[in-house]
Amino acid sequence: MNNDYLWDRTGEPDAEVQQLEDVLETLRYQPLPFELPAAVKPAHRSWLVPALAIAAAIAFMILAGGIWLRLQQQSRSNRRDLAKVSRESRTTRPAAPDSPVVENVSAPDRDPDGPAAQRNSLPRRNRMVRISNRNQFPRLRNEMSATERVEAEAAKDQLMLALRVVSAKLNLAQRKTQSIPATNNIRNQHKLG
Amino acid sequence: MYEAEATADMLLMTAQSAPAPAHREAPSSPEALLIRAVLAGNRDSFASLYELYAPMVHGILLARVPRTEVEDLVQDIFLHAFKKLATLRDANAFGGWLAMITRNRAMDFHRYARATIEVKEEHAIGDRRKKAKAEEILNVIRSLPDAYRETLVLRLVEGMTGPEIASRTGLTAASVRVNLHRGMKLLRAKLGMQEEAETRA
């Protein structure tokens, strides 16, 4: 056995390889003329598909960027609205800040000077000031310090407490009208905060 | 489709031996010059490429598809290669590109082909026996792993040497040498040649 003969037909011939070559050469390629049809031409490389792919990728990126910017703006405007609400609640806070908030927010039937009434009773000049503040939201938002944020949170908590009180009162009234015995308020105090 | 698959496969197979991109564009091989001529409009140059590469395409097909289908497929593959020649990025890699097109076409043949029966050709008795024996050996070669059968058919049927196989198919000389020796060892074992030699000794 000679490996060089198998590799490049040099060296001592390998009898087995020669025998196989002799038998298998009957299947060897027989040259045939190859004629190209006249109508057939080599197709030129098209740049259309890659160009379209690049354009589609750029368009997709622009679209994605637009959506992202839009979402960012929305979240900013939400934060602005929150700041506005907290600021307004501060400006419309009653003169005596030590009085319980429940008194101001709940029981509109007992309090003729409810929030709507308070808003309407504000001097016209004051209302104009609040409207003009709308144009200054970016500045307000930027200027909102940590203490203001804490105040806003406190205002939110007060509002939630007031709503819970109103809800409890409405429940009580409903039960009374339907002759259902009142629930134990002590046991359910956690609902009132 | 075939040329895209061929390009992808070639990148995988010849990644280690591929020359630097700067050298790729240089039309160093005669094949590259012929391809430039074909793309410039000289259709006769493609006939030269056909003469050079038809045995390789024939051998690769013979290792994979029925013998009666091989001639038609050779023509089809060259026609396809002519149409898609402009998509070949590296003219020096024409052999590997064409080999991959051929392998993919052979796979497609098995994917879509209906059952076929090989028609026996009429020959003289001696020829017939030799051809039958050749068919028998070819079937044994076809039962070997892909890499071995292709290299063995190119060497034993088409009469190409190892370096020729490497240069035509785009494979490295080392892998062709390994495939040849391992394939030959397997073939000997399957044909019982080693046992015969041992009993003779």
Side-chain angles (χ1 to χ4, degrees):
Chain A
M1 189 178 358
N2 191 321
N3 284 340
D4 280 335
Y5 183 77
L6 181 64
W7 173 242
D8 57 4
R9 287 210 199 89
T10 59
E12 188 188 336
D14 183 330
E16 286 171 357
V17 175
Q18 274 187 322
Q19 188 189 339
L20 284 171
E21 280 180 315
D22 182 50
V23 174
L24 288 171
E25 74 174 358
T26 54
L27 304 175
R28 189 169 291 178
Y29 169 71
Q30 303 299 318
L32 289 170
F34 179 69
E35 286 183 16
L36 283 168
V40 177
K41 286 177 185 173
H44 290 285
R45 192 182 289 176
S46 168
W47 295 106
L48 184 67
V49 174
L52 277 176
I54 290 166
I58 290 169
F60 178 76
M61 282 164 65
I62 290 169
L63 189 68
I67 290 169
W68 184 79
L69 278 175
R70 179 87 182 153
L71 288 173
Q72 289 290 312
Q73 280 175 350
Q74 269 184 357
S75 68
R76 268 184 216 153
S77 70
N78 286 344
R79 271 179 278 164
R80 255 183 241 156
D81 289 348
L82 187 66
K84 178 189 155 192
V85 166
S86 66
R87 194 158 186 88
E88 278 185 358
S89 70
R90 264 196 309 155
T91 53
T92 59
R93 192 173 288 172
D98 295 335
S99 60
V101 178
V102 177
E103 293 298 320
N104 287 334
V105 180
S106 65
D109 52 340
R110 280 187 293 156
D111 185 6
D113 298 333
Q118 278 183 3
R119 195 167 56 243
N120 290 333
S121 66
L122 280 172
R124 190 168 182 81
R125 186 171 53 84
N126 205 357
R127 272 193 280 165
M128 289 298 285
V129 167
R130 281 200 288 125
I131 290 164
S132 69
N133 277 348
R134 282 178 194 165
N135 300 328
Q136 298 168 4
F137 281 150
R139 189 176 62 79
L140 284 173
R141 192 176 62 82
N142 293 335
E143 287 176 0
M144 197 172 173
S145 63
T147 50
E148 281 175 327
R149 224 171 276 144
V150 170
E151 281 176 6
E153 288 293 323
K156 192 181 99 181
D157 289 344
Q158 285 177 345
L159 182 66
M160 293 304 292
L161 177 65
L163 286 171
R164 282 194 197 116
V165 169
V166 169
S167 168
K169 284 188 175 180
L170 282 172
N171 264 337
L172 188 65
Q174 191 184 16
R175 280 171 191 279
K176 277 184 179 172
T177 53
Q178 290 173 355
S179 306
I180 301 171
T183 52
N184 188 348
N185 283 335
I186 296 170
R187 200 178 61 199
N188 293 324
Q189 262 185 345
H190 65 278
K191 286 184 182 172
L192 302 177
Chain B
M1 199 66 179
Y2 298 112
E3 70 281 353
E5 288 171 20
T7 309
D9 289 347
M10 269 189 58
L11 284 172
L12 288 173
M13 288 182 70
T14 59
Q16 288 180 338
S17 62
H23 304 293
R24 273 188 182 175
E25 292 304 317
S28 53
S29 64
E31 289 92 335
L33 293 171
L34 286 169
I35 289 162
R36 290 270 167 100
V38 173
L39 289 175
N42 183 357
R43 295 163 71 94
D44 293 338
S45 297
F46 195 75
S48 307
L49 279 173
Y50 174 78
E51 281 169 26
L52 273 172
Y53 283 93
M56 179 200 77
V57 172
H58 186 268
I60 293 173
L61 288 172
L62 203 59
R64 291 156 203 264
V65 301
R67 201 167 55 83
T68 49
E69 305 288 340
V70 170
E71 302 296 339
D72 287 346
L73 282 174
V74 169
Q75 301 280 322
D76 276 358
I77 286 163
F78 274 96
L79 192 61
H80 183 81
F82 177 74
K83 285 180 192 167
K84 300 291 178 184
L85 199 58
T87 63
L88 175 64
R89 290 185 181 180
D90 180 8
N92 293 312
F94 176 75
W97 180 72
L98 189 64
M100 278 300 170
I101 291 175
T102 309
R103 289 181 198 119
N104 291 334
R105 180 61 73 92
M107 270 197 284
D108 273 5
F109 173 83
H110 287 295
R111 211 174 286 161
Y112 302 117
R114 280 164 272 166
T116 53
I117 300 165
E118 289 206 33
V119 180
K120 302 286 179 196
E121 294 164 22
E122 289 298 320
H123 292 286
I125 295 171
D127 268 6
R128 214 184 300 163
R129 274 187 196 155
K130 204 172 177 181
K131 209 131 199 174
K133 179 79 176 163
E135 292 277 1
E136 200 179 308
I137 297 169
L138 184 65
N139 284 335
V140 176
I141 293 174
R142 279 176 180 161
S143 70
L144 299 178
D146 269 359
Y148 300 158
R149 65 181 165 186
E150 190 177 300
T151 319
L152 282 177
V153 168
L154 291 175
R155 172 66 187 87
L156 300 172
V157 180
E158 304 299 340
M160 294 162 77
T161 61
E164 280 174 344
I165 296 169
S167 71
R168 290 277 189 279
T169 57
L171 296 170
T172 61
S175 58
V176 171
R177 187 185 275 269
V178 168
N179 289 343
L180 263 182
H181 289 153
R182 288 185 184 166
M184 195 63 208
K185 195 177 171 186
L186 272 177
L187 183 63
R188 278 192 171 109
K190 287 216 171 192
L191 293 174
M193 283 176 158
Q194 272 175 333
E195 288 166 20
E196 280 176 26
E198 280 167 14
T199 49
R200 261 185 272 151

